[in-house]
Amino acid sequence: MTRQVLIVAALLPLWLSLFACASREDLQAERVAKQAASEAEDDAKCRSANGEPGSAEYDACRQDLAAQRARQADIDYQKARDFDRVLGGLDDL
């Protein structure tokens, strides 16, 4: 019985590390898929409103959408940071 407990105790950290790696890979894959979907959405919006890629209007549309996404990402980051500060998770920077 104690031998089985020792084996489980020895293998548990290995199993947990493999599980953590898999979840990181899943998160990375999700992030890549989300980015590809947003780029396809932006492309469709700009094609329907401003014509083909390479035109000045299309390029301006894509830059505007990228700027909007960057602003939203900054807002989301600040909200998460403020939430962590409220909970005491981060020190004042």
Side-chain angles (χ1 to χ4, degrees):
M1 179 77 167
T2 57
R3 180 175 247 180
Q4 290 174 343
V5 172
L6 289 174
I7 290 172
V8 170
L11 293 177
L12 186 63
L14 177 63
W15 182 78
L16 289 175
S17 67
L18 290 175
F19 181 73
C21 290
S23 65
R24 265 188 243 130
E25 290 171 359
D26 291 344
L27 290 174
Q28 180 65 22
E30 181 181 333
R31 206 173 299 134
V32 168
K34 193 180 286 188
Q35 182 179 0
S38 67
E39 292 212 6
E41 182 182 325
D42 290 354
D43 182 59
K45 283 181 186 176
C46 291
R47 278 181 188 257
S48 67
N50 298 310
E52 291 299 311
S55 68
E57 294 85 10
Y58 176 86
D59 292 341
C61 176
R62 289 297 298 259
Q63 288 178 349
D64 183 46
L65 290 174
Q68 288 176 10
R69 285 193 197 286
R71 281 193 299 271
Q72 187 61 46
D74 287 342
I75 290 169
D76 292 344
Y77 173 77
Q78 190 64 41
K79 284 181 180 180
R81 191 169 162 218
D82 291 346
F83 183 74
D84 284 343
R85 280 190 177 157
V86 168
L87 294 178
L90 292 176
D91 295 330
D92 289 327
L93 300 177

